Amino acid sequence: MSLTEITKVDQIEITENNQIQVRTATIILKDDVELTRTFHRHVLSQGDDITNEDSKVIAIANAIWV
Amino acid sequence: MPLITNSNIIAGATNYSYVGPAQYGGVMFPRGQILFSNTNTQNQLYLSSNAYTNAGGVFAYRNSSQPATYIGQDNGGISMGVAGNGTADGVISWTTALSLSTNGVKFQNGATSLNYYEEGSWTPQLYAGATAFTMGGINAGRYVRIGKQVTVNGHIQWSAGSGSGMVRISGLPFACTGVRSAGSIGAVSYGISFNSGYNYWVLVIDPGADFIYIIQGDSSGGGYSHTPPVGTSGIIYGFSITYFLL
C-alpha cells in the first residue's frame, strides 16, 4: 500500500475585472486511487506578485494584464 | 414477445390495458412501479410509487387514499415529483419537488437553479497600506460557496511588519462581484486598536474587491475610518463575512 499526496492547480477562472481566481487541489491517493480532494483558493489582481504562481497562471496573467 | 403474465412485467406490445409508452418497445411494471420505455421521441425512465400510466402514457392514480411520487428521467434531466391524494384512476397533477439538469438543481419553490457548492481553505493576509505583515502560525481561513453566495471566516495572527494606511485582509477565495457586503470580528486580542472617537469594528467588501476592509466606526454617529493603527504583531480571534457573486 502506498499513500501519495499531489498538489495541483485544478481550476483557473478570470473575472470581468481581470482578476484570476485560482483553486489548488490537494489530492490523497492510495495505490493510485483517490481518497480525498481538498481545495485552497486565492485571487490575484493586476499588480500582484505572481512570481511563485503556477506556470499556467503566470501565462494567463501575462496575457490579460496588459 | 416474451412476458411474465399476471400483468407484472411486460416487454413490448401486449394486451395489458395500461401499457402506455411501453407499446413502443420496453419493459413495464404496469402497476406503475418501474417503467423503462422508448417512445417515438425519446427514451424515458420512471420509478414511481402509487402511480401507473394509462393508455396515453400519462401517470394516473392507483389509489386515492395515498399520495403518489415519482423519479423520472426526461430530455436529459432528472426530476422528482409529488402529488397529493386524489381520485382513483384520475390523471395526476404532479408538482416537481426537485429537478436536476445541466443548469443545476432546482427546488419546487425556487426560480433559480443551484449549480455550485464548494468548501475549502484560504489564507488571510493582513495589510496596512502597502505593507504585507508576516502571518503567524494560527492564521487560517475557511470558505463555503453555495451558488453565488460565499461565506468566509477565519482568524488572523501576524508576527512582524510595520505600516499604516487602509487596513485590509487579502487572500479571499473569490473576488466579490456582487454588491457591497459587511461582516463582523469576533475578538481582538491585541495588535489593532481604535483611534480616538471610534468604538466598534466592521468588515466590508466592496464590489470588485478581493480583500476585506477592517473599518473602525463610531456608534454615536461620528463616521468611520479605514486606518486604525496596527501593531507589529497581533491576533484577531475570529471573523466572518458573507458576500455575493454576480
Side-chain angles (χ1 to χ4, degrees):
Chain A
M1 182 191 77
S2 65
L3 290 174
T4 307
E5 179 179 305
I6 298 173
T7 298
K8 66 178 181 181
V9 171
D10 73 337
Q11 187 179 90
I12 304 170
E13 303 162 302
I14 303 168
T15 73
E16 63 179 9
N17 297 322
N18 279 354
Q19 290 153 318
I20 303 172
Q21 299 184 155
V22 182
R23 186 175 76 181
T24 303
T26 300
I27 305 163
I28 305 296
L29 303 169
K30 177 183 177 183
D31 296 332
D32 297 327
V33 176
E34 183 173 325
L35 293 180
T36 66
R37 180 181 291 243
T38 57
F39 300 120
H40 185 278
R41 280 186 171 273
H42 68 287
V43 180
L44 296 166
S45 294
Q46 188 158 7
D48 286 346
D49 181 7
I50 57 172
T51 306
N52 296 319
E53 297 294 331
D54 181 87
S55 59
K56 289 177 288 188
V57 174
I58 293 173
I60 291 170
N62 288 333
I64 66 172
W65 292 351
V66 292
Chain B
M1 194 72 184
L3 56 83
I4 299 175
T5 58
N6 297 325
S7 300
N8 290 317
I9 299 175
I10 300 171
T14 76
N15 60 358
Y16 187 70
S17 59
Y18 293 108
V19 170
Q23 64 187 291
Y24 297 104
V27 178
M28 179 181 183
F29 293 80
R31 296 299 184 224
Q33 303 301 310
I34 302 174
L35 167 63
F36 305 95
S37 70
N38 181 6
T39 70
N40 53 356
T41 57
Q42 59 188 310
N43 297 317
Q44 294 177 314
L45 165 64
Y46 294 106
L47 307 176
S48 63
S49 173
N50 201 35
Y52 64 91
T53 58
N54 62 17
V58 179
F59 277 107
Y61 282 120
R62 171 61 182 163
N63 186 328
S64 63
S65 66
Q66 297 177 6
T69 59
Y70 83 92
I71 301 173
Q73 174 275 325
D74 186 16
N75 197 27
I78 298 172
S79 61
M80 298 181 184
V82 296
N85 296 350
T87 303
D89 293 348
V91 175
I92 296 176
S93 295
W94 292 105
T95 297
T96 300
L98 183 68
S99 63
L100 177 64
S101 70
T102 54
N103 292 324
V105 178
K106 184 176 283 186
F107 298 94
Q108 174 182 341
N109 296 318
T112 306
S113 295
L114 174 63
N115 64 357
Y116 205 108
Y117 178 86
E118 186 179 301
E119 54 191 73
S121 62
W122 62 289
T123 304
Q125 171 64 56
L126 184 67
Y127 280 86
T131 299
F133 288 81
T134 300
M135 306 309 291
I138 67 168
N139 188 67
R142 297 288 184 271
Y143 71 86
V144 175
R145 175 177 168 183
I146 303 172
K148 296 181 183 300
Q149 174 181 303
V150 180
T151 297
V152 298
N153 60 15
H155 47 243
I156 301 175
Q157 180 187 30
W158 65 102
S159 57
S162 178
S164 60
M166 289 189 173
V167 180
R168 54 194 173 93
I169 304 167
S170 187
L172 286 175
F174 299 92
C176 174
T177 52
V179 298
R180 181 173 287 110
S181 298
S184 60
I185 282 177
V188 174
S189 176
Y190 69 99
I192 184 169
S193 56
F194 295 119
N195 289 120
S196 177
Y198 299 103
N199 55 14
Y200 73 90
W201 299 111
V202 66
L203 303 177
V204 171
I205 300 178
D206 283 350
D210 61 352
F211 57 83
I212 306 167
Y213 285 118
I214 300 179
I215 294 173
Q216 54 182 346
D218 177 5
S219 61
S220 64
Y224 64 90
S225 164
H226 285 83
T227 57
V230 179
T232 55
S233 63
I235 297 177
I236 296 174
Y237 286 115
F239 66 92
S240 179
I241 188 168
T242 296
Y243 59 104
F244 294 87
L245 314 177
L246 289 178

